Amino acid sequence: MASTGEKWVSKPGKKGEIIYEKRNLNAPIRVVDGLEAVKWLKAKYKKAWKKVELESETTEGLVLNLISKITTADKPRLHDIILEEQNKKQPIAFLSLRQDQAAKGATAIYGHFDHDYSFISHVWAQKAKYVTGFIANGSQTGNLKVWIDMVSIAQHPGDEQSADLNQLTEAIYGAAEFKIILDKEGKYFTRIWCLFEIANRIKSKRGQISAVIPEILSEYGVSQFDHLTMPQRKKYWRNTAQVLEAVINNGIDVSMAEATYEKDRVPILKWIENEFDSFEAFNQLIVDELEERIIKLNGMAGPPQRNPLAINV
């Protein structure tokens, strides 16, 4: 008999067949109010935060130089520390299956948990200012409650971190929205964890995949899309489409994608072998999504405006 909280959960296989696997349905998907989390970090660690504001710190640097030092082996998640220090009576977290359903022995269908949070996917080489600014801004995320690795995942190796990583797919499937913080160079699509995340979201058929490029927004002197004028929005959409076109032209190859820790590549590539017919099929899944996104972006942007001073020959 399965232990308390464990049930067999169904999920679609690569050919549409149903695969069953055990999952701890009582394990929480840890999400947090993005604005409150950033405000807490900024107020409590003012000196370290100056590097973020000066744009000299990457997300990786923020994790290694601050978050990994705030957390400990006993308290490995920033999520839990923030909530504890704010004396929250109810943690801002959602269960994969509501406790009352679990008590009745209900069966969960993998990926159908309509929780009101955004899954934030990003590359660690991105400037920390862009990432923290994004999760703190409700109008950009469309939702203040976010799941983001540097807050939601245990930062110290051990059982807790393994459990969080094993639950990553469920956090992706369960999110109401999937948001990508993209860089202008498209490095996002060269990182194996990022490709794993977006592929799972596409496979979930939940939709609601969107991306923002803070670097382009900063070129217009704003940090929020809502602050752009309509002509600026059209240019932004066109520029975003050009970034995605460059990604496709450069090629997506998950077999060559990199990870901060080389050992992380092995299980992800093994997962792809089990879920897809080939690496090429995996790559094409993402290319198809990008091509569809490019068409939409160019449609919103409309035709490029002609220079009124140009002379037709």
Side-chain angles (χ1 to χ4, degrees), residues 36-162:
E36 290 301 319
V38 171
K39 285 170 62 177
W40 182 86
L41 278 170
K42 187 175 181 179
K44 195 171 181 66
Y45 300 94
K46 295 179 180 178
K47 186 176 180 179
W49 202 257
K50 286 183 179 180
K51 288 186 176 180
V52 175
E53 293 179 331
L54 293 173
E55 301 187 16
S56 60
E57 192 77 282
T58 62
T59 303
E60 181 178 14
L62 179 62
V63 171
L64 296 178
N65 298 327
L66 182 59
I67 295 177
S68 64
K69 294 179 180 179
I70 298 172
T71 55
T72 64
D74 293 333
K75 295 181 179 180
R77 299 180 192 87
L78 184 61
H79 167 279
D80 301 344
I81 293 173
I82 293 175
L83 295 181
E84 181 180 317
E85 292 206 8
Q86 289 183 332
N87 295 317
K88 296 284 187 180
K89 292 183 179 180
Q90 294 293 332
I92 308 175
F94 298 93
L95 297 179
S96 304
L97 185 65
R98 292 208 315 269
Q99 287 177 319
D100 59 335
Q101 290 177 315
K104 297 174 183 177
T107 300
I109 301 299
Y110 187 78
H112 291 271
F113 309 117
D114 256 331
H115 298 318
D116 188 23
Y117 67 90
S118 295
F119 184 99
I120 307 299
S121 184
H122 63 104
V123 62
W124 275 31
Q126 184 77 279
K127 289 181 178 179
K129 181 178 181 178
Y130 292 151
V131 176
T132 57
F134 183 87
I135 67 172
N137 188 278
S139 62
Q140 273 190 344
T141 62
N143 186 322
L144 278 177
K145 294 188 291 293
V146 300
W147 185 105
I148 186 166
D149 52 6
M150 62 183 180
V151 174
S152 305
I153 289 181
Q155 297 301 318
H156 299 267
D159 292 342
E160 293 289 320
Q161 188 181 76
S162 296

Side-chain angles (χ1 to χ4, degrees), residues 234-285:
K234 290 184 176 182
K235 289 180 180 178
Y236 172 82
W237 289 326
R238 191 172 297 111
N239 290 341
T240 301
Q242 291 169 350
V243 169
L244 298 182
E245 288 169 352
V247 168
I248 294 176
N249 291 336
N250 291 333
I252 293 176
D253 185 355
V254 70
S255 68
M256 299 298 292
E258 300 174 336
T260 301
Y261 303 105
E262 182 64 21
K263 62 181 178 60
D264 289 351
R265 284 173 32 84
V266 177
I268 294 177
L269 292 176
K270 184 65 177 177
W271 173 82
I272 293 172
E273 290 177 350
N274 292 334
E275 295 286 331
F276 294 83
D277 293 328
S278 64
F279 290 145
E280 289 74 18
F282 176 95
N283 297 336
Q284 192 60 47
L285 176 77

Side-chain angles (χ1 to χ4, degrees), residues 3-57:
S3 61
T4 303
E6 285 190 350
K7 290 190 178 296
W8 289 98
V9 182
S10 64
K11 71 172 185 176
K14 64 182 180 181
K15 296 182 179 179
E17 75 276 21
I18 299 299
I19 299 173
Y20 293 91
E21 60 183 36
K22 277 186 180 179
R23 284 190 175 267
N24 180 1
L25 299 179
N26 288 327
I29 297 174
R30 293 173 174 83
V31 303
V32 71
D33 183 310
L35 177 59
E36 290 301 319
V38 171
K39 285 170 62 177
W40 182 86
L41 278 170
K42 187 175 181 179
K44 195 171 181 66
Y45 300 94
K46 295 179 180 178
K47 186 176 180 179
W49 202 257
K50 286 183 179 180
K51 288 186 176 180
V52 175
E53 293 179 331
L54 293 173
E55 301 187 16
S56 60
E57 192 77 282

